[in-house]
Amino acid sequence: LALSAVAVILGTAFVAGSFMFTDTLRATFDDIFTETSADVTVSPKEAFDGADSGAGARTLPPSLVEQVRAVPGVSEAYGDLWVEGVRMLDAEGEAIGSAGPPGAGVIWYTAEGSSAKLVEGRAPQGAGEVVVDEYAADKGDLKVGDRIGLVLPQGPQREMTVVGVASYSSNGSLGGATVAAFDDATAKELLLGKDAYSAVAVYHGDDVSDEQLRDRVADAIGSDYVVRTREEQAEETASGIEEALGFLNYLLLAFAGVALFVGSFIIFNTFSMIVAQRTRELAMLRAIGASRGQVTRSVLLEAAVVGLVGSVLGLAVGAGIASLLAALFGAIGLEIGGGLVLAPRTVVTAIVLGVVVTLVASLVPARRAARVAPVAALRDGVAIGSTSLRVRSIIGGLLTVAGVLALVSGALSDDAGNAASLVGLGALVTLVGMIALAPVVSGPLLRVLGAPAARRGAVGRLSVENTRRNPRRTAATASALMIGLTLVTSFGVLASSANASIDRLVDRGLRADFIAYQSTDGAFSPEVAAAMGQVEGVERVVRERYSNAQIDGETSFVSALDPEAFTESLRATVLSGSADALSRGEVIATQPAAEKASVGVGDSVELLLPSGRSTTLRVGAVLEDAEFLSQWSIPIATWEQLGGTGSDSFLYVTLASGASVDEVGPRLEAATAAYPNLNVFDREEFKDENREQINLLLYMIYALLALALVIAVLGIVNTLALSVTERTREIGLLRAVGMSRRQLRRMVRTESVIIAVLGSVLGIVLGLAFGTSLQQALADDGITQLAVPVVSLLVFLVAAAGVGVLAALWPARRAARMDVLQAVTAE
C-alpha cells in the first residue's frame, strides 16, 4: 500500500508542480507587464495580422506625441521604444545576461505612474551615456561611471558611460531581460536609425480613468492607431508568453499523465494480490452476511484512502518540483519573482486525479473480491477467478490491428498535419491493444527470454515458471516498464532521424564554408558582413534577412538575399525560370509556395512587409527544394526600399580557392570578436551545434520520462515483494528440501530480470514502430531520414537487466531471511 501511495505521490506531484510552476511564471510576467505598461499606450496598427514587431515594423511620427499630449486629461505623454538585440558587455567583453531573455534598448523617461525609477546616478543626457537596469548592473558588476560596450542590431558596437542604474519592476528584474536606456535622440538614432517611435506612453491624473483616457485619445487621433489601457496592453504583451506557457503546461501534464497511467498498474497489481491474500477473510465476511456491494465498497474505500493520502503528499512534493523548475529556469537567466502560486484549481485537480486513478485501478480487484463465494471460507487455497484470456485476446487483437492500420495510414499520408495525428492516434490505440494482449504474448516471450536462465539448472527453471504462473500479474508489471520504454525509444528514433536529416540538409543545401547567425537575439548589425568580407581568404559573404510578410494576402515567410552570388552559397534546384531572377529584381518561390498561391514564372504577386509598404513583383523562378531559404525570396535592395529591417539574420561565407577552413576560421572569429553572441560555424560545426540542441531536448524528455520509469521499477519491487509474501509456504518448502539462501535470492533476482527484460523488449519493439511511423509522417516537414539509435537501444536492454537486479534486492533479501519452519506452517 505504501508503494502504491508512492506511485500516486509521484504522478500527482508532477501535475501539481506543473500547475504551480506555470501559474507562478504567468503571475510573474503579468506583474511585470502591468507595472511596465503606461496608463494608456498608443501603438501603430499592424500591417497585417501577426506581422513581426521590431525594427522593421510600422512606427509612429514624433508629431503624434504632441497631438496626444494635447488631449484633455493627459498629464504626460512620451515617445517610447523597445528594440531587442541590444546587449551590454562586461569588463571581459562578454554579453551580460543569459541567452534566453532578451536584451533591449529603450528611451529613458520618468513619469508619475511609471515603473521606471532611478536607483543610482542620473538620467542619460547625450550620445555617450546609458542607464542600465538593476539586474544587468548586478550580473555585470556595473556601477555609475563605468565604461561599457553595447552590441546593437542596427550598427557597429558602441562604447558608453553608465550614468545611472534603474529599476523597472518591484522585484528588481524583468524576468531576466536586460535593458539599456538612452535619451530620446540617441535611442532613435541607435535603435531605429530614423526619427520615429514604436509607441506613445500616456499618463493621466486622478480625475480620469484608464478607460476614459483611452476613449478620448482614440477619438482625438483617429482609427489609424491602436489605443489600449494598461490592463489591455499588459494582456496583449503577455499573449505570446501565455501561448508558450500553455504549451509548457500541456507538455509537463502529458508526462504527468504517463506517470499516473504507469502508476495505475502498480495499484492494480497491489489490490489484485491483496484481495487474493484475503480470499478466506473476504469469504468469511460474505458467510456472516456481508453483501457483494459491501465487500466492493470496502476495497474501494481502502483504495480511496491510498489515493487521498498520496494526492495530499503529492501536493507537497509538487511544490518541491515547482521550486526545482524555477531554480533551473533561474540558472538559464529567466528570473521568477515572488513565491509559488498555489491556486485552488491545482489542489482540486491533483486530489481528484489521484483518487480517481486509484479507484479506477482498484475497481477490477474490488469486483473480483465481491465474487468470492461464502463457501470458500471453508476451504484452503481458493484463488479468486477472473475473466478468460480469450476475451482479452479478442479485444487486444482488434485494438492492435486498428492501431497498426492507423500507424501505416499516417506514415503513408501526404498531408503532414493529418499524418502526425493519425500516427499519434495509432500509437495510443496500439499501445492499449498491446497492454490487453500482454498476458497472451508474454507466455511464449517469457519462455524465450527465460531460456538462458532455464539452462542453468532448477533455480533458473523455477524463476521462469514463477513468471509464467500468473500471466496477468507478470504482464501488468512488465507493461508499466513497456510504456516508459516505448516512449523513450520513440523519441530516440525521432531525435536520431532529426539529426540525420539535418546532416543531409546541410550537405544538400549549403555550399558556403561558414554560416554566421545569432541563436538568441535574432538579427544583428550589417557591420558584421562588412568585417567578414575583409578577412583574408574570404571570397564572398552573402547576407540573408527574413520576416513574415503577405503574398497576395496570404501570410508567408520571406527571405531577402544578396542577389548576385546567393546560388554560389546555397544549393537550389530550379524547376522553372532562372536562378538570377533576384538580380533582375524579381521574386523566387519554392514549389509548395507557388502551388499554394497558384502562380508560376511570369505571374505577378503583391508583397506587403510589416513596415506597411507594398509592391508588385514578377515571379522569376520556382525552386524544387531550397533548405536554407524561406517560401519566398526577394533582393535585399527591394527589402530595404520597402522599409524592412536593416539587420542581418544569416551570413553565408564562401572561401577563396586554396583557402583553408582551419586557417580562415580563427580569422573570422577575431573579426567578429566584438559581437559575443554571434555564432560562426563551419559546416561540420553547424551540424554538431544542431545535433547538440536536438540531443539536449531529447535528454530533457528522457529526464521527464524517468519519473514513469522509476514508478515502473517500484512496480516490479512491489509485485515481487507481494509475491514473496504470497508464496511464503512454497518458499519454506523449497528451503526445507535443500534450496540455499543464495539460490533463493538468485531465483527472485532472475524472476525480476526476466520481467524487466520482457517489458523492455516489448517497449523497444513498439517504440521502433511508433518512431518509424512518426518519422515517415514528418518527412515533408524536414525529417527525411530514418535513423535507429542501435547503441542506445542496446544500452536500454542492459539497463533493464540492471534494473531487474536492483528491484529484486529487497524482495530477495526478505525471502532469504524467512524462518523455514514458520514459512512451512504459514496460512
Side-chain angles (χ1 to χ4, degrees):
L1 288 175
L3 285 174
S4 296
V6 168
V8 177
I9 290 169
L10 293 177
T12 54
F14 223 80
V15 172
S18 302
F19 279 129
M20 285 188 217
F21 174 68
T22 51
D23 286 347
T24 302
L25 206 56
R26 187 177 289 108
T28 297
F29 284 105
D30 284 347
D31 290 344
I32 288 173
F33 295 139
T34 300
E35 282 186 295
T36 55
S37 296
D39 293 337
V40 169
T41 301
V42 180
S43 307
K45 273 191 175 178
E46 292 181 339
F48 51 88
D49 288 341
D52 285 344
S53 60
R58 278 182 165 175
T59 54
L60 301 176
S63 59
L64 185 65
V65 179
E66 296 303 322
Q67 188 178 351
V68 170
R69 193 171 285 154
V71 174
V74 172
S75 61
E76 296 173 280
Y78 299 91
D80 203 0
L81 278 179
W82 174 281
V83 176
E84 296 183 11
V86 178
R87 286 290 177 180
M88 294 173 270
L89 307 181
D90 60 20
E92 285 72 38
E94 297 295 324
I96 297 172
S98 63
V106 302
I107 294 175
W108 174 258
Y109 69 85
T110 56
E112 188 70 30
S114 168
S115 64
K117 299 286 187 293
L118 274 174
V119 177
E120 297 177 39
R122 59 173 175 83
Q125 297 174 355
E129 298 182 348
V130 63
V131 168
V132 302
D133 66 286
E134 279 186 299
Y135 177 77
D138 178 60
K139 293 296 181 182
D141 194 23
L142 304 178
K143 57 185 181 299
V144 174
D146 286 350
R147 297 284 289 174
I148 63 168
L150 284 98
V151 177
L152 304 169
Q154 293 288 333
Q157 183 182 141
R158 295 290 187 95
E159 190 169 285
M160 292 189 169
T161 301
V162 177
V163 296
V165 177
S167 169
Y168 289 91
S169 69
S170 56
N171 64 13
S173 169
L174 295 176
T178 57
V179 180
F182 315 95
D183 67 86
D184 187 285
T186 303
K188 288 187 287 189
E189 176 199 346
L190 295 180
L191 305 179
L192 285 186
K194 58 183 179 181
D195 188 15
Y197 299 109
S198 60
V200 177
V202 189
Y203 297 90
H204 60 71
D206 296 334
D207 57 336
V208 181
S209 69
D210 290 359
E211 290 75 16
Q212 289 174 326
L213 188 63
R214 174 198 61 195
D215 296 340
R216 292 182 188 180
V217 171
D219 290 340
I221 64 177
S223 59
D224 292 336
Y225 307 97
V226 178
V227 186
R228 299 187 181 97
T229 64
R230 181 187 296 269
E231 185 177 340
E232 291 168 343
Q233 183 65 24
E235 185 177 338
E236 174 67 20
T237 309
S239 59
I241 290 180
E242 290 283 338
E243 186 176 341
L245 288 180
F247 172 77
L248 177 63
N249 205 32
Y250 291 140
L251 180 67
L252 293 174
L253 289 176
F255 288 106
V258 171
L260 279 171
F261 186 51
V262 170
S264 68
F265 288 90
I266 296 183
I267 298 164
F268 174 82
N269 261 1
T270 299
F271 280 91
S272 294
M273 299 175 78
I274 286 175
V275 167
Q277 291 170 15
R278 296 177 184 167
T279 301
R280 296 185 66 193
E281 176 186 327
L282 294 173
M284 181 65 73
L285 288 173
R286 291 293 315 283
I288 62 176
S291 67
R292 287 190 174 189
Q294 287 176 315
V295 171
T296 300
R297 287 194 296 273
S298 71
V299 177
L300 290 177
L301 181 59
E302 188 173 352
V305 171
V306 172
L308 182 61
V309 171
S311 300
V312 172
L313 293 176
L315 281 170
V317 177
I321 291 176
S323 299
L324 178 61
L325 288 171
L328 289 174
F329 272 65
I332 62 173
L334 187 60
E335 297 289 324
I336 301 174
L340 291 177
V341 176
L342 179 60
R345 176 255 286 144
T346 302
V347 177
V348 172
T349 302
I351 291 178
V352 169
L353 266 178
V355 173
V356 168
V357 167
T358 310
L359 286 175
V360 170
S362 62
L363 183 58
V364 172
R367 293 184 61 189
R368 288 179 188 167
R371 290 199 297 266
V372 177
V375 73
L378 306 177
R379 294 181 289 161
D380 286 335
V382 175
I384 295 180
S386 57
T387 56
S388 170
L389 286 178
R390 182 178 301 174
V391 176
R392 288 188 64 153
S393 300
I394 294 172
I395 295 174
L398 291 174
L399 287 173
T400 302
V401 169
V404 170
L405 289 175
L407 286 173
V408 174
S409 300
L412 299 179
S413 175
D414 293 328
D415 187 340
N418 289 334
S421 299
L422 271 174
V423 169
L425 177 62
L428 178 62
V429 174
T430 304
L431 188 59
V432 173
M434 283 304 301
I435 291 171
L437 279 177
V440 181
V441 301
S442 63
L445 279 175
L446 287 169
R447 191 179 296 277
V448 173
L449 296 174
R455 285 196 292 268
R456 295 181 62 189
V459 173
R461 289 196 299 274
L462 280 170
S463 300
V464 176
E465 291 306 315
N466 284 338
T467 61
R468 298 181 69 236
R469 68 162 66 181
N470 193 324
R472 284 183 179 81
R473 181 186 303 168
T474 300
T477 306
S479 292
L481 194 57
M482 176 186 75
I483 295 167
L485 264 295
T486 296
L487 295 173
V488 166
T489 304
S490 299
F491 284 116
V493 170
L494 191 62
S496 296
S497 299
N499 283 330
S501 300
I502 287 174
D503 288 350
R504 186 170 183 267
L505 181 147
V506 173
D507 292 336
R508 289 186 56 192
L510 187 64
R511 292 180 186 272
D513 298 290
F514 288 90
I515 182 172
Y517 62 95
Q518 286 191 156
S519 56
T520 56
D521 291 318
F524 49 89
S525 169
E527 298 290 329
V528 176
M532 284 185 160
Q534 300 298 316
V535 171
E536 181 184 353
V538 172
E539 180 177 340
R540 74 177 66 87
V541 178
V542 172
R543 299 170 294 165
E544 181 181 10
R545 301 168 183 176
Y546 68 88
S547 171
N548 61 351
Q550 279 200 339
I551 301 288
D552 286 346
E554 290 289 330
T555 303
S556 306
F557 272 101
V558 172
S559 291
L561 294 137
D562 287 318
E564 295 80 8
F566 91 91
T567 53
E568 300 299 320
S569 299
L570 303 174
R571 288 187 176 92
T573 303
V574 179
L575 284 179
S576 57
S578 173
D580 63 356
L582 294 183
S583 300
R584 300 192 299 270
E586 298 173 336
V587 64
I588 290 177
T590 61
Q591 185 181 18
E595 290 177 350
K596 183 177 180 181
S598 300
V599 297
V601 173
D603 293 332
S604 295
V605 295
E606 185 78 13
L607 170 67
L608 174 64
L609 288 187
S611 63
R613 301 182 193 176
S614 63
T615 189
T616 300
L617 297 174
R618 180 181 182 272
V619 178
V622 176
L623 308 179
E624 179 182 20
D625 51 44
E627 286 85 352
F628 281 82
L629 294 180
S630 298
Q631 297 158 307
W632 301 84
S633 299
I634 63 174
I636 275 188
T638 303
W639 176 275
E640 292 176 340
Q641 289 168 8
L642 296 177
T645 175
S647 306
D648 295 323
S649 302
F650 288 93
L651 299 178
Y652 303 101
V653 182
T654 303
L655 302 186
S657 178
S660 164
V661 168
D662 293 336
E663 293 177 353
V664 177
R667 297 174 194 161
L668 290 174
E669 295 283 356
T672 59
Y675 301 88
N677 282 5
L678 187 74
N679 299 311
V680 181
F681 295 127
D682 63 32
R683 295 158 61 89
E684 291 305 314
E685 289 172 340
F686 183 58
K687 292 179 185 178
D688 291 340
E689 174 69 12
N690 282 278
R691 279 195 291 263
E692 284 182 13
Q693 293 180 16
I694 292 174
N695 290 338
L696 178 62
L697 178 62
L698 180 64
Y699 297 148
M700 289 175 60
I701 292 173
Y702 281 176
L704 293 171
L705 286 174
L707 179 64
L709 295 175
V710 167
I711 295 175
V713 173
L714 290 177
I716 298 176
V717 175
N718 207 25
T719 300
L720 289 174
L722 288 170
S723 179
V724 166
T725 301
E726 187 180 64
R727 302 197 311 244
T728 299
R729 184 183 295 180
E730 175 186 322
I731 290 171
L733 289 171
L734 288 172
R735 293 278 285 117
V737 297
M739 177 177 277
S740 67
R741 290 185 175 180
R742 182 177 180 183
Q743 288 174 318
L744 184 57
R745 286 194 295 268
R746 180 155 63 89
M747 182 185 75
V748 177
R749 276 200 309 270
T750 305
E751 187 177 341
S752 177
V753 169
I754 293 172
I755 293 173
V757 173
L758 171 65
S760 301
V761 169
L762 291 173
I764 289 172
V765 170
L766 289 176
L768 284 172
F770 298 166
T772 301
S773 301
L774 192 56
Q775 178 273 318
Q776 292 295 317
L778 297 176
D780 291 338
D781 289 336
I783 305 182
T784 57
Q785 304 299 299
L786 175 64
V788 177
V790 177
V791 174
S792 296
L793 299 185
L794 292 175
V795 170
F796 294 158
L797 274 177
V798 174
V803 162
V805 172
L806 292 175
L809 289 178
W810 177 53
R813 184 168 179 268
R814 185 179 178 191
R817 294 178 65 185
M818 285 185 184
D819 181 271
V820 177
L821 290 178
Q822 288 183 357
V824 170
T825 58
E827 289 289 334

